[in-house]
């Protein structure tokens, strides 16, 4: 079992003919993902490694039955790429693009409300159900199929670090989701936690947050009421100075809120096991999840 | 991106938001010329730096004569202004805003910011004007009136009424306020701002609304569609190493510690800084070379760290995903050859092409300390700082 994507997921890549799009499409296919279509306006009719390329998302969906979209479109056009997919009935939209204007994302977020579509990202590594389906840019081999841990993170490479340490301790993953480092994003910690709580194969969760915003605090309040499975947490940015944007557009302490300390306090209060030493993260998880 | 008050007021004026008469001066002669044009006293002289709390630090003063305008501007231009936002080292004042002084009846607060949890824009207002809005929010949240605006629907008169009645405005001022709020909202949207703030907004003795102060921050992600705003960037306000890094699209922030670090990915970079602190050291910087960095970007990032005089040791932490370890290793070797390494450098690599990367480093003959994992890296950094 897994959440959101599995071996039946039919993936279409928006921006498949670009440098990044091409490289990562090949990586996804090599991992075993069913990539069924690509979309690049003006390049309809061409093929990329045998995958048909279409001018519009609607055409790609109609002809191939794609139900999941992976977006590598540049920032200026990424918001409309998300809306195009949503309009065409795509079930899951994974937006890798970094640097989308905040106002564009605010419009997208409001536009998607009430529609039967799930947006993951933007500015994220994507989502992977190890051994079944990789929809993103994460290195496949660091993952261990079969579960029982679900991983949710606002970061990219920090997620790889955490997953790598889990795998080295023999702890597999059901699904790993990067929800993205932007201030306005699609799927939230809460939605992922809820899905993992209801996934019988998932026995525990890892939640990786960072400074900025209040999504970790919101998640903690949710966990207190609705989550029974054990959770290990980590927060990056204890040493980050206030008022500075730490790489991710969303990683900024503003007006004294969004600090790592406040997040850790809220998480521990809700029963999350917060690990402070990233170097010992794997060992910490092994203990909490009963592998030690 | 931040801009100065005088630049924000220029944008306000352009967009029909009332601001006091005035202009920017780089020396006392210019200040006098502007003051003459204002046709009366008092005149306000305001230091222009990218930091709040200027008034308390002596950066906002009243002049009652031309002599005072000359003296104050002479005093202020060149001075180090220290406020709670500049840090103890302060910031050098290079220009002042010279403005007409107003008879003030009441001070208020007005702001527009994006709300992360609802994805709406929030109009915020308060009768507690002139105060730090964060303090008001923490101590007396009931004094802040908010109107949430869905960006797909835009601003409407009911949003403005909510603010106006919440501020207990008299009927003569409701229309001017609604007009101002609408223009403020449009300015926010048209220029892709991340913050627009008027603190204080004043009601003058002759019953006019006026933005006595103006603060605008822009969304860095959207600067590509506002080439005109780019001209507002003031390099004097930025750290020289940060300017250098921005030339190569590197996410670099200069900090106070002595352990330099270079990492791919913002989250891992922050976590690496935390790890340095946990080991007993202090990070000298934040540097995210990005997921898709080239050897050239890595080379420039490493060079910037090595040229930072306060750096006594370096930790390179790379988890190869899109950025392959062999690409990283080549960049490190290039930078080390060109700049020379005079401090100990610990390298920790994992992920895509890690074997090839390690081989490039060991074949280079450079004196690099390799760490087998993050735990080992932290231990070696700790030794470095002790």
């Amino acid at each position: 079992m897994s959440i959101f994507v599995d071996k039946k997921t039919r993936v279409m890549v928006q921006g498949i003919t670009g440098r990044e799009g091409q490289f990562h499409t090949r990586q996804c296919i090599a991992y075993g993902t069913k990539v069924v279509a690509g979309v690049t306006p003006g390049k309809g009719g061409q093929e990329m490694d045998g995958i048909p390329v279409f001018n519009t998302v609607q055409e790609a969906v109609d002809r191939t039955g794609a139900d999941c979209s992976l977006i590598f479109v540049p920032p200026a056009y990424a918001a409309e790429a998300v809306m195009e997919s949503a309009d065409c009935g795509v079930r899951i939209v994974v937006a890798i693009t970094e640097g989308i204007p905040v106002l564009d994302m605010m419009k997208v977020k409001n536009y998607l409300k009430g529609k039967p579509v799930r947006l993951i990202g933007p500015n994220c590594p994507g989502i992977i159900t190890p051994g079944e389906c990789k929809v993103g840019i994460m290195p496949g081999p660091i993952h261990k199929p079969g579960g029982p841990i679900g991983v949710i993170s606002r970061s990219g490479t920090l997620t790889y670090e955490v997953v790598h340490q889990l795998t080295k301790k023999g702890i597999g993953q059901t699904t790993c989701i990067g929800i993205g480092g932007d201030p306005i994003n699609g799927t939230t910690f809460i939605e992922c936690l809820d899905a993992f709580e209801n996934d019988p194969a998932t026995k525990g969760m890892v939640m990786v947050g960072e400074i900025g915003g209040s999504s970790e605090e919101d998640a903690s309040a949710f966990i207190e009421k609705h989550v029974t499975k054990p959770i290990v947490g980590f927060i990056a940015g204890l040493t980050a100075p206030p008022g500075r944007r730490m790489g991710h557009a969303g990683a900024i302490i503003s007006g004294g809120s969004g600090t790592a300390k406040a997040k850790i306090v809220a998480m521990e209060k809700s029963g999350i096991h917060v690990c402070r030493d990233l170097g010992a993260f794997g060992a910490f998880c092994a203990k909490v999840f009963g592998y030690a | 991106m931040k801009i100065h008050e005088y630049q924000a007021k220029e944008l306000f004026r352009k967009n029909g938001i009332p601001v006091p008469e005035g202009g920017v001066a780089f020396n006392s002669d210019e200040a006098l010329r502007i003051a003459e044009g204002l046709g009366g006293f008092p005149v306000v002289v305001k230091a222009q730096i990218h930091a709040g709390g200027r008034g308390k630090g002596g950066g906002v003063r009243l002049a009652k004569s031309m002599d005072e305008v000359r003296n104050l501007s002479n005093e202020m231009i060149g001075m180090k202004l220290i406020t709670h936002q500049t840090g103890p080292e302060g910031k050098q004042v290079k220009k002042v805003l010279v403005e007409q002084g107003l008879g003030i009846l009441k001070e208020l607060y007005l702001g527009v910011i994006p709300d992360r949890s609802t994805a709406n824009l929030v109009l915020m207002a308060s009768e507690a004007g002139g105060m730090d809005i964060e303090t008001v929010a923490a101590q007396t949240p009931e004094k802040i009136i908010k109107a949430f605006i869905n960006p797909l629907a835009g601003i409407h008169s009911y949003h403005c009424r909510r603010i106006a009645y919440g501020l207990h405005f008299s009927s003569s001022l409701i229309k001017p306020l609604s007009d101002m709020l609408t223009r403020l909202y449009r300015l926010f949207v048209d220029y892709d701002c991340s913050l627009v703030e008027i603190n204080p907004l004043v009601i003058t003795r002759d019953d006019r609304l006026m933005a006595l102060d103006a603060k605008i921050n822009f969304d860095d992600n959207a600067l590509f569609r506002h080439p005109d705003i780019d001209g507002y960037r003031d390099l004097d306000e930025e750290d020289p190493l940060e300017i250098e890094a921005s030339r190569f699209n590197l996410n670099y922030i200069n900090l106070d510690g002595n352990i330099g670090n270079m990492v791919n990915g913002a989250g891992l970079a922050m976590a690496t800084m935390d790890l340095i602190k946990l080991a007993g050291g202090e990070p000298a910087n934040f540097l995210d070379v990005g997921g898709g960095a080239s050897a050239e970007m890595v080379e420039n990032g490493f060079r910037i760290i090595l040229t930072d005089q306060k750096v006594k040791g370096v930790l390179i932490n790379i988890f190869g995903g899109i950025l392959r370890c062999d690409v990283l290793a080549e960049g490190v070797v290039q930078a080390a050859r060109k700049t020379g390494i005079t401090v100990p450098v610990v390298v920790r690599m994992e992920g895509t092409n890690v074997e090839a990367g390690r081989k490039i480093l060991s074949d280079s003959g450079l004196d690099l300390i390799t760490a087998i994992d993050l735990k080992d890296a932290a231990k070696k950094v700790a030794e470095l700082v002790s």
Side-chain angles (χ1 to χ4, degrees):
Chain A
M1 282 288 281
S2 59
I3 67 169
F4 306 151
V5 297
D6 57 30
K7 54 181 177 290
K8 288 181 301 216
T9 304
R10 296 173 69 79
V11 178
M12 144 184 72
V13 180
Q14 286 177 264
I16 194 169
T17 53
R19 194 172 58 96
E20 297 273 299
Q22 247 180 50
F23 176 79
H24 289 292
T25 299
R26 288 183 179 131
Q27 299 284 314
C28 289
I29 294 168
Y31 194 77
T33 307
K34 275 201 187 85
V35 179
V36 296
V39 176
T40 300
K43 300 207 170 164
Q46 299 183 8
E47 284 191 349
M48 206 288 282
D49 293 4
I51 300 160
V53 179
F54 300 93
N55 285 320
T56 66
V57 170
Q58 190 67 62
E59 222 183 326
V61 169
D62 290 346
R63 302 272 293 277
T64 67
D67 63 348
C68 172
S69 177
L70 175 59
I71 294 181
F72 289 101
V73 174
Y77 310 102
E80 64 166 280
V82 173
M83 292 191 281
E84 185 182 3
S85 268
D87 279 355
C88 299
V90 173
R91 190 176 57 88
I92 303 248
V93 179
V94 182
I96 305 300
T97 311
E98 177 176 2
I100 303 178
V102 175
L103 209 56
D104 289 8
M105 270 316 298
M106 294 177 80
K107 288 178 183 162
V108 166
K109 181 96 179 175
N110 282 289
Y111 185 74
L112 297 187
K113 264 178 202 160
K115 289 195 165 61
V117 59
R118 169 174 303 288
L119 170 65
I120 293 172
N123 190 10
C124 77
I127 175 169
I128 181 170
T129 290
E132 294 192 27
C133 176
K134 170 173 118 94
V135 189
I137 60 174
M138 63 289 277
I142 59 170
H143 299 83
K144 180 174 158 55
I149 300 302
V151 178
I152 320 157
S153 171
R154 275 171 72 186
S155 171
T157 48
L158 179 54
T159 319
Y160 312 161
E161 177 69 49
V162 159
V163 167
H164 181 68
Q165 289 196 33
L166 285 175
T167 298
K168 275 208 302 197
K169 289 283 173 192
I171 309 170
Q173 305 93 38
T174 47
T175 300
C176 304
I177 308 161
I179 61 173
D182 276 358
I184 310 281
N185 60 353
T187 300
T188 62
F189 274 127
I190 292 177
E191 291 164 79
C192 298
L193 286 164
D194 191 37
F196 278 132
E197 174 74 11
N198 291 307
D199 172 37
T202 300
K203 304 294 179 207
M205 285 79 96
V206 165
M207 176 179 156
V208 180
E210 63 190 27
I211 56 161
S214 62
S215 59
E216 291 82 359
E217 286 89 333
D218 299 344
S220 299
F222 176 84
I223 288 163
E224 234 177 315
K225 285 191 187 144
H226 304 287
V227 180
T228 58
K229 296 175 181 175
I231 303 174
V232 170
F234 181 84
I235 296 291
L238 269 167
T239 51
R244 302 300 304 266
R245 171 173 137 159
M246 305 299 284
H248 287 158
I252 180 164
I253 298 168
S254 50
S257 73
T259 65
K261 261 197 193 117
K263 289 176 188 300
I264 290 172
V265 167
M267 288 164 78
E268 287 190 328
K269 191 176 154 266
S270 74
I272 297 176
H273 305 267
V274 179
C275 174
R276 281 174 176 76
D277 181 0
L278 185 62
F281 191 86
F284 188 94
C285 285
K287 214 170 142 200
V288 172
F289 298 133
Y291 280 74
Chain B
M1 188 180 98
K2 292 180 179 176
I3 62 172
H4 289 291
E5 176 195 2
Y6 78 92
Q7 297 166 321
K9 281 182 170 164
E10 205 172 289
L11 274 178
F12 274 17
R13 206 172 278 133
K14 221 193 253 179
N15 289 276
I17 298 161
V19 293
E21 290 294 314
V24 69
F26 290 79
N27 55 53
S28 57
D29 287 347
E30 287 177 8
L32 284 170
R33 211 172 311 136
I34 293 162
E36 272 165 21
L38 296 176
F41 291 95
V43 163
V44 191
V45 183
K46 304 177 88 174
Q48 299 296 293
I49 56 166
H50 285 184
R54 291 170 298 166
K56 280 179 201 138
V60 180
R61 313 262 302 264
L62 267 180
K64 297 190 190 76
S65 66
M66 282 299 171
D67 279 346
E68 283 187 24
V69 171
R70 185 188 300 115
N71 292 344
L72 283 178
S73 50
N74 269 334
E75 250 173 65
M76 248 183 233
I77 296 170
M79 81 183 259
K80 285 254 181 212
L81 184 55
I82 301 167
T83 82
H84 68 286
Q85 285 184 5
T86 59
E89 69 281 3
K91 263 190 176 169
Q92 198 180 17
V93 180
K94 299 209 165 162
K95 47 203 164 260
V96 293
L97 174 62
V98 181
E99 261 183 6
Q100 64 176 153
L102 297 173
I104 294 165
L105 206 64
K106 193 172 181 181
E107 298 196 354
L108 306 143
Y109 170 91
L110 215 56
V112 187
I113 52 162
D115 180 61
R116 292 167 71 140
S117 53
T118 60
N120 283 333
L121 287 167
V122 197
L123 271 180
M124 274 199 309
S126 171
E127 289 187 274
M131 281 176 69
D132 193 16
I133 195 66
E134 277 98 27
T135 315
V136 180
Q139 291 169 2
T140 47
E142 71 281 0
K143 284 193 181 154
I144 298 177
I145 305 132
K146 291 181 182 176
F148 289 82
I149 304 172
N150 181 327
L152 290 177
I155 190 166
H156 292 282
S157 52
Y158 70 90
H159 297 120
C160 303
R161 282 198 295 273
R162 185 182 167 88
I163 300 288
Y165 288 114
L167 290 174
H168 306 106
F169 262 41
S170 62
S171 54
S172 65
L173 280 174
I174 289 183
K175 203 171 167 302
L177 179 70
S178 299
D179 186 56
M180 183 184 259
L181 290 173
T182 308
R183 288 171 188 274
L184 213 57
Y185 176 83
R186 292 213 181 112
L187 181 140
F188 189 103
V189 173
D190 289 349
Y191 290 92
D192 277 293
C193 301
S194 57
L195 168 87
V196 177
E197 202 174 62
I198 305 177
N199 193 18
L201 165 74
V202 299
I203 302 173
T204 62
R205 291 219 186 91
D206 54 357
D207 214 28
R208 286 182 301 153
L209 275 180
M210 195 74 84
L212 206 61
D213 195 11
K215 185 175 174 187
I216 302 180
N217 294 349
F218 299 95
D219 174 11
D220 292 346
N221 285 356
L223 286 176
F224 71 87
R225 53 189 179 202
H226 303 286
D228 47 330
I229 296 302
D230 216 40
Y232 282 139
R233 187 173 172 193
D234 184 354
L235 294 180
D236 283 343
E237 292 287 331
E238 296 177 32
D239 179 274
L241 286 178
E242 292 180 13
I243 295 171
E244 173 76 0
S246 72
R247 286 178 50 220
F248 302 102
N249 288 322
L250 294 164
N251 275 315
Y252 171 88
I253 294 173
N254 199 352
L255 301 169
D256 293 332
N258 58 4
I259 306 289
N261 58 96
M262 178 165 79
V263 188
N264 65 325
L268 190 58
M270 277 188 274
T272 303
M273 283 166 50
D274 296 349
L275 203 68
I276 289 169
K277 174 89 171 177
L278 199 67
E282 288 288 341
N285 66 278
F286 164 88
L287 173 57
D288 163 22
V289 294
S294 61
E296 194 200 351
M297 282 171 82
V298 170
E299 183 191 323
N300 284 309
F302 193 34
R303 180 176 54 78
I304 286 166
I305 292 176
L306 291 175
T307 51
D308 186 351
Q309 294 298 321
K310 63 181 187 295
V311 167
K312 301 293 174 236
V314 179
L315 171 60
I316 297 177
N317 182 19
I318 298 289
F319 205 106
I322 321 174
L323 171 57
R324 304 186 327 250
C325 293
D326 53 329
V327 172
L328 166 93
E330 265 163 33
V332 169
V333 170
Q334 289 298 328
R337 291 237 165 89
K338 282 184 197 163
T339 316
I341 300 178
T342 52
V343 296
V345 177
V346 178
V347 185
R348 183 270 176 155
M349 279 192 306
E350 197 58 68
T352 316
N353 291 12
V354 63
E355 294 308 325
R358 285 186 183 143
K359 188 167 183 311
I360 290 169
L361 291 182
S362 63
D363 290 354
S364 72
L366 291 167
D367 187 18
L368 301 168
I369 306 155
T370 47
I372 42 166
D373 58 21
L374 208 49
K375 208 175 168 186
D376 186 39
K379 192 169 142 267
K380 284 176 169 146
V381 171
E383 286 163 11
L384 213 72
V385 296
S386 62

